[in-house]
Amino acid sequence: MFDIAIVGGGMVGAALAVATAQAGIKVALLERQTPGVLTDNCDFDLRVSAINRRSEAWLQQLGAWQQLSVKRLAPYATLKAFEGDAAPLDFTAAELGESHLGHIIENLHIQQALWQQLPDTVQQFCPVQLSGYQQFEDHACLQTDQGEIKARLLIAADGAQSQLKQLAGIGSQGWQYKQACLLVHVKTSYDALSMTWQQFTPQGPRAYLPLPGKQASLVWYDDHLRIQQLAALPSQQLEQQIKQHFPAALREFSVVKQGYFQLTRSHANQYVKGRLVLVGDAAHTINPLAGQGVNLGFADAECLSALLIKQFTAGADLAAPALLAQYERERRKANLLMMSAMDVFYQVFSSKLKPLAQLRRLGLQVAAKAGPLKTYVGKYAAGLV
Ligand SMILES: Cc1cc2nc3c(=O)[nH]c(=O)nc-3n(C[C@H](O)[C@H](O)[C@H](O)COP(=O)(O)OP(=O)(O)OC[C@H]3O[C@@H](n4cnc5c(N)ncnc54)[C@H](O)[C@@H]3O)c2cc1C
């Protein structure tokens, strides 16, 4: 019997496995797909995340940060938002007394570092197919193609389409946004800027994320049809479109590859059901506008692992209702706050109504000058408060 069985070995599930197993908890980690392997010289993967300072500190504590290759990290010290010719709103690490605000890192790279850091005591089931689950008074059981796996506590870290959440009959509230987003990996004629910028347009934002060396990841938000059409274009035609619709600050570049994603907001109606707990995208998906999704997932995993380790040290039940309720209380509130903030942001910046557009420009100008408030927002975005 395992203490905990984690379904999903993506960034969040793997981090939780490392944290709990390092404290002596007996962990089973189930992953459907064998994780891809990255080496220093291989091509960059399209899926990248902006990892904030709080997540960085936790990954460092787990020893996973030290497994990352510096050749595949792009730190940024400035975050800039602008619209038309209005004065930009920028947050700099220097004004917060910090060396940097975050890093752009491939999801696969983070997952790989975490898997390298898994203690030998973690039993890995990978690749594995889950077919069912049951709960009993003192344990829960997963049915898989590798047999039954029993644990005191089950954790669903299996992403936005969580099978375990569905098997448990946990519903969600949410919707699909009117916009989709195109990710484009480009080679640039200059070294990556130590900056990430976002330009707001009536059709949706355009963003630049630095990648190591002479590379970058561009993000283009627009309505679904437009994004699908752009994603299907040959490289040279896409380059022309980007030149027409991105700010001139992008300068010379060539397209390497592209892919597009639907944007969905969803929030599970409950994070806990008996001996089952949800973390990361299994519990919530958020508009990626400000790159906060996996940072929220890491915060879930950090909170849950701290509670579990305390309980384990005291020799108490890892599925005690009061413990799991505390996790849900803490994390639901924080996640909802960030999700709602992103929705206000999305509504205000995607509106084509003239008064709202004027208010938005004014808002950016006021925010650019608002000392303590601006400092607070900068720290919040970087995960420093
Ligand atoms: C376009 C886009 C851009 C984004 N940019 C950012 C960003 O800049 N910053 C940021 O913080 N977040 C960003 N996000 C969000 C971020 O990618 C997610 O929040 C993050 O990947 C969630 O991690 P997770 O481990 O919870 O889920 P996932 O990454 O989805 O991992 C789930 C894992 O579970 C496995 N799995 C699934 N089902 C099963 C099963 N039945 N059995 C076993 N294993 C299973 C999967 O194979 C996978 O490995 C972005 C998202 C999108 C769509």
Side-chain angles (χ1 to χ4, degrees), residues 102-113:
H103 286 81
I104 307 296
I105 314 177
E106 293 150 286
N107 293 2
L108 198 51
H109 191 197
I110 301 172
Q111 185 190 22
Q112 181 171 295

Side-chain angles (χ1 to χ4, degrees), residues 4 28 60 67 72 98 106 111 151 173 191 196 240 242 270 315 367:
I4 63 178
Q60 249 168 10
Q67 302 279 0
R72 299 188 86 91
E98 300 289 331
E106 293 150 286
Q111 185 190 22
Q173 299 207 345
D191 281 331
T196 165
Q240 288 311 317
I242 295 172
Q270 53 194 107

Side-chain angles (χ1 to χ4, degrees), residues 107-351:
N107 293 2
L108 198 51
H109 191 197
I110 301 172
Q111 185 190 22
Q112 181 171 295
L114 284 160
W115 277 65
Q116 280 168 359
Q117 197 58 14
L118 285 172
D120 292 340
T121 52
V122 175
Q123 193 163 336
Q124 298 173 16
F125 297 86
C126 176
V128 71
Q129 286 297 329
L130 179 66
S131 53
Y133 115 111
Q134 281 174 293
Q135 293 211 30
F136 300 93
E137 201 181 323
D138 65 346
H139 73 281
C141 182
L142 295 167
Q143 277 95 37
T144 78
D145 60 353
Q146 296 192 32
E148 283 195 342
I149 299 165
K150 293 181 181 163
R152 300 276 175 219
L153 179 68
L154 301 182
I155 295 170
D158 48 349
Q161 308 299 325
S162 172
Q163 185 190 0
L164 191 48
K165 181 170 85 175
Q166 281 163 27
L167 286 171
I170 298 178
S172 301
Q173 299 207 345
W175 58 82
Q176 237 183 30
Y177 292 97
K178 284 189 194 133
Q179 289 177 355
C181 105
L182 178 75
L183 294 185
V184 190
H185 178 188
V186 297
K187 283 204 188 303
T188 50
S189 55
Y190 48 92
D191 281 331
L193 309 175
S194 172
M195 170 196 291
T196 165
W197 54 250
Q198 187 144 183
Q199 181 200 31
F200 293 96
T201 78
Q203 290 74 34
R206 321 270 186 256
Y208 162 94
L209 311 177
L211 291 178
K214 293 180 168 32
Q215 302 179 88
S217 179
L218 306 180
V219 195
W220 186 335
Y221 295 82
D222 214 312
D223 67 61
H224 291 251
L225 185 63
R226 172 85 167 125
I227 290 296
Q228 275 176 33
Q229 288 166 344
L230 289 167
L233 288 178
S235 301
Q236 282 185 346
Q237 286 182 32
L238 181 58
E239 259 163 51
Q240 288 311 317
Q241 288 292 321
I242 295 172
K243 280 184 183 146
Q244 281 171 31
H245 296 280
F246 269 63
L250 184 58
R251 294 154 45 202
E252 280 306 304
F253 67 91
S254 57
V255 168
V256 179
K257 57 184 163 185
Q258 71 252 31
Y260 77 97
F261 297 87
Q262 309 288 351
L263 307 181
T264 313
R265 172 188 166 141
S266 92
H267 204 181
N269 296 336
Q270 53 194 107
Y271 286 16
V272 176
K273 188 169 185 181
R275 293 182 172 270
L276 170 66
V277 193
L278 312 184
V279 291
D281 273 23
H284 45 75
T285 58
I286 177 174
N287 193 315
L289 203 56
Q292 291 297 331
V294 77
N295 292 301
L296 295 183
F298 281 141
D300 291 349
E302 188 180 3
C303 169
L304 182 60
S305 61
L307 291 169
L308 291 175
I309 291 166
K310 205 163 150 205
Q311 192 82 341
F312 176 75
T313 312
D317 182 10
L318 294 183
L323 178 92
L324 302 182
Q326 187 181 345
Y327 160 72
E328 170 149 8
R329 229 178 8 255
E330 283 183 28
R331 290 310 305 157
R332 177 176 285 284
K333 200 167 132 199
N335 291 332
L336 193 60
L337 181 67
M338 182 62 88
M339 293 167 95
S340 308
M342 282 312 102
D343 281 340
V344 170
F345 214 56
Y346 172 80
Q347 292 300 343
V348 171
F349 281 99
S350 59
S351 173

